[in-house]
Amino acid sequence: MVNIRSFTLHRWAGLLASVWLMVLCITGIFLDHKKDWAFLWDWQWPSALMSDAAAERATAARFSMVKYLDGNWVMCEPTGCQVQQQTSQQAAQPPSWQASRFDDHPSSAMPMIRHLLLWQDSLWLATSHGIWRSVDSGMSFQYYALDSYNVTYLAADKTLYAVLDYSSIVQQTTSNVFLPVEIPSPSIETLPEQVNLSRLSRDLHYGRGFFGQHIDVWINDIAAVLILLLCISGLYMWLWRRKPKKQYANRFTFFLRWHRLLIGPAAILGILYLCITGILLDHSDDLRNEMRTFEFDRAHLTPVYQLSNWQQQITSIAALDTQIFIGTRLGMWAWDNQQLKRIFTGYAWSATRIDTQVYIGGMGAPSAIINAEKTTLVKPVGHMPSDVTAINDKVIWKTHHGLEYSDGQPVTLEAPKSNSLALYFALDALHSGAIFHKQFKWVNDAIALLALVAMLSGLYRFLKWLKARLRVKIRASNKTV
């Protein structure tokens, strides 16, 4: 009786979860590669085919890099920049936006833009194909250096610093050559002893919670592909479950064996961590305090939290006087050629130097300002600031909700308008269900719970099958003896 009930539970839970679970896996694979696949930003999706809330959110988050220079606003997204130029002839009319030009491109592909830096009255871009520079307030960019490198962040003081592939820092010399900056790894004593549930769940679900940026993305992809194959084989067996025709019998047996013996057991870990973390992230706003309060011992977590080296760990940098500030998921460190010490405890998602201060954009943590080795939290600023700029002695933060002053008040600026948005935002909205309605997250929760039920009941049936097979082998061996 228990075996029959477990089979029925497994069959119906798997059927109900399969179709939408496949959608989540496919969109998740695309979202994992948002930093590498340019077509996610080049291809456009009509905003009319998204809910108003999803379209508004995507519009506010579209341009993650913003600077103000010589009366010009410059906004950049991964595949290009827009400039709003105010001239005396246009003073009586609203200024318009125009796309920046990229001249003298040494590669066949348009570079993916990672970071925008304002230094020496010029704009500098960190891209997938080196460093680019604009001397005309963002109207055009020209290739500058490091074309064969994936430059992920820039900083500058007296010279220019660049982060190569989230892993190492190089410094420009007077001869326009970039040389490595040798910075020791953080000692184990300087690492935080605890990691909260908010940080851990985001890292695991977004593909950065095991070993590092690139490896973790492929771990997520493999987990998604295994779940896809599990759904496909399960749906096939559901369709032919009653009386499969003789010509399909061998195919049915093939799918059953792969579903039961290989794909199912291999997909268990992926189903567990993706479904559980997905449910938590669906309700991260409601559970914010609880997720930040519940903590795990860092020493017992995956290698990425041990920070034994900088490989795929550097998310941001800034330079001020003799110090280099290095941002990671476990905090920000300051290096002065002699001593390495941690000065910020949250995830230093972004870092921007303005005059004598360094502005840190936190992810899952309050943002902060570093001034004379004193760190001041800026709690009113919205979620995950990706950039900071200054205008008329006022500091402006670029968050996922738009532009904000340090007190949280919104900045009035008419951003570039478009009737379409990058495909990435449509896939992101589809993955979360926001493309239909902001409360669609409850459907995602139900699918995740059904997937967990199907996994547990399937695991139970798998263990029962192994036990039965073992008994048959033991009986056969006894008879032989």
Side-chain angles (χ1 to χ4, degrees):
M1 181 64 69
V2 174
N3 195 37
I4 295 175
R5 288 178 179 174
S6 68
F7 174 67
T8 303
L9 182 65
H10 177 73
R11 189 176 65 183
W12 281 102
L15 175 68
L16 295 174
S18 290
V19 177
W20 187 248
L21 196 60
M22 292 169 66
V23 173
L24 293 176
C25 289
I26 294 172
T27 54
I29 290 174
F30 284 105
L31 297 180
D32 280 346
H33 293 273
K34 65 179 180 179
K35 297 179 181 178
D36 306 309
W37 294 351
F39 74 87
L40 292 174
W41 305 95
D42 290 330
W43 295 2
Q44 299 295 300
W45 180 271
S47 54
L49 298 181
M50 302 170 65
S51 67
D52 292 340
E56 182 179 352
R57 178 182 176 184
T59 301
R62 177 184 172 188
F63 295 97
S64 59
M65 296 157 277
V66 179
K67 296 298 180 188
Y68 183 82
L69 174 63
D70 297 334
N72 290 3
W73 282 100
V74 182
M75 292 187 172
C76 296
E77 55 186 333
T79 53
C81 297
Q82 298 277 339
V83 183
Q84 186 192 69
Q85 188 176 31
Q86 179 73 69
T87 64
S88 57
Q89 290 81 7
Q90 296 174 323
Q93 301 177 357
S96 60
W97 292 90
Q98 65 183 80
S100 302
R101 302 189 314 274
F102 282 75
D103 303 329
D104 303 323
H105 193 279
S107 303
S108 59
M110 178 68 185
M112 288 278 287
I113 300 172
R114 314 294 194 194
H115 179 234
L116 174 63
L117 173 70
L118 174 58
W119 178 56
Q120 292 183 342
D121 294 327
S122 297
L123 293 169
W124 306 75
L125 290 178
T127 78
S128 58
H129 294 288
I131 302 173
W132 292 67
R133 182 187 182 187
S134 172
V135 295
D136 54 7
S137 301
M139 301 299 294
S140 64
F141 286 89
Q142 294 77 36
Y143 166 72
Y144 185 75
L146 300 176
D147 174 59
S148 59
Y149 292 92
N150 176 26
V151 182
T152 52
Y153 221 87
L154 294 173
D157 183 43
K158 296 179 181 178
T159 60
L160 187 64
Y161 296 87
V163 178
L164 305 182
D165 203 27
Y166 310 99
S167 300
S168 61
I169 300 174
V170 293
Q171 179 183 9
Q172 184 183 24
T173 65
T174 55
S175 59
N176 203 30
V177 174
F178 287 81
L179 298 178
V181 180
E182 299 297 336
I183 302 176
S185 302
S187 62
I188 195 71
E189 294 80 12
T190 63
L191 299 179
E193 295 182 359
Q194 306 290 326
V195 175
N196 62 39
L197 179 59
S198 177
R199 173 79 282 117
L200 181 63
S201 58
R202 281 174 168 80
D203 288 345
L204 289 174
H205 198 80
Y206 297 152
R208 53 176 184 243
F210 291 103
F211 301 100
Q213 294 273 354
H214 302 311
I215 298 175
D216 289 352
V217 165
W218 288 107
I219 290 176
N220 261 24
D221 289 351
I222 291 172
V225 169
L226 287 173
I227 296 173
L228 272 174
L229 294 175
L230 194 67
C231 293
I232 292 171
S233 57
L235 285 174
Y236 177 85
M237 290 187 293
W238 171 272
L239 294 174
W240 298 98
R241 69 190 187 280
R242 295 187 181 279
K243 293 181 180 180
K245 297 179 181 179
K246 291 183 179 180
Q247 60 266 37
Y248 298 118
N250 292 334
R251 190 183 304 174
F252 183 88
T253 303
F254 170 82
F255 274 95
L256 176 62
R257 288 176 178 174
W258 277 78
H259 184 88
R260 174 191 289 170
L261 300 179
L262 181 62
I263 303 173
I268 287 176
L269 180 60
I271 294 174
L272 271 175
Y273 82 83
L274 289 175
C275 289
I276 293 175
T277 56
I279 292 173
L280 290 173
L281 295 181
D282 277 345
H283 302 277
S284 58
D285 291 339
D286 303 321
L287 301 174
R288 180 181 289 109
N289 294 332
E290 291 78 7
M291 291 176 67
R292 290 182 179 178
T293 302
F294 194 86
E295 296 181 326
F296 300 87
D297 288 337
R298 178 201 50 77
H300 298 152
L301 296 180
T302 54
V304 75
Y305 296 102
Q306 312 315 317
L307 202 61
S308 57
N309 56 62
W310 299 112
Q311 289 296 316
Q312 301 179 33
Q313 298 286 348
I314 303 176
T315 57
S316 62
I317 61 167
L320 178 59
D321 296 330
T322 60
Q323 288 187 314
I324 300 176
F325 300 90
I326 308 164
T328 72
R329 75 188 64 248
L330 296 179
M332 174 166 277
W333 274 261
W335 167 248
D336 60 2
N337 290 322
Q338 294 182 349
Q339 185 181 13
L340 183 71
K341 59 180 179 180
R342 190 167 62 125
I343 57 174
F344 179 68
T345 58
Y347 189 167
W349 169 251
S350 64
T352 305
R353 174 195 168 178
I354 299 179
D355 296 329
T356 60
Q357 295 179 322
V358 176
Y359 295 79
I360 303 174
M363 181 195 291
S367 299
I369 301 174
I370 299 175
N371 185 8
E373 298 188 357
K374 178 183 178 182
T375 302
T376 304
L377 298 182
V378 189
K379 294 184 178 181
V381 174
H383 175 60
M384 211 169 94
S386 56
D387 206 352
V388 179
T389 192
I391 175 174
N392 299 329
D393 298 326
K394 290 187 177 180
V395 173
I396 296 175
W397 301 72
K398 175 62 182 74
T399 73
H400 270 29
H401 306 294
L403 296 174
E404 301 178 10
Y405 293 109
S406 293
D407 60 1
Q409 294 299 314
V411 177
T412 302
L413 176 65
E414 186 175 342
K417 291 185 177 180
S418 175
N419 293 325
S420 61
L421 294 163
L423 177 62
Y424 165 80
F425 292 112
L427 293 175
D428 183 45
L430 180 61
H431 189 78
S432 65
I435 196 170
F436 307 116
H437 193 274
K438 63 180 181 180
Q439 294 301 328
F440 195 87
K441 61 185 180 182
W442 294 101
V443 176
N444 274 2
D445 291 348
I447 296 300
L449 288 173
L450 285 170
L452 288 172
V453 169
M455 182 207 71
L456 292 173
S457 57
L459 180 61
Y460 171 79
R461 289 181 52 77
F462 175 69
L463 295 176
K464 291 281 290 184
W465 178 84
L466 283 180
K467 186 177 180 180
R469 294 282 296 178
L470 183 60
R471 286 178 178 174
V472 170
K473 289 185 176 181
I474 291 176
R475 289 173 182 172
S477 60
N478 290 337
K479 289 180 179 180
T480 303
V481 174

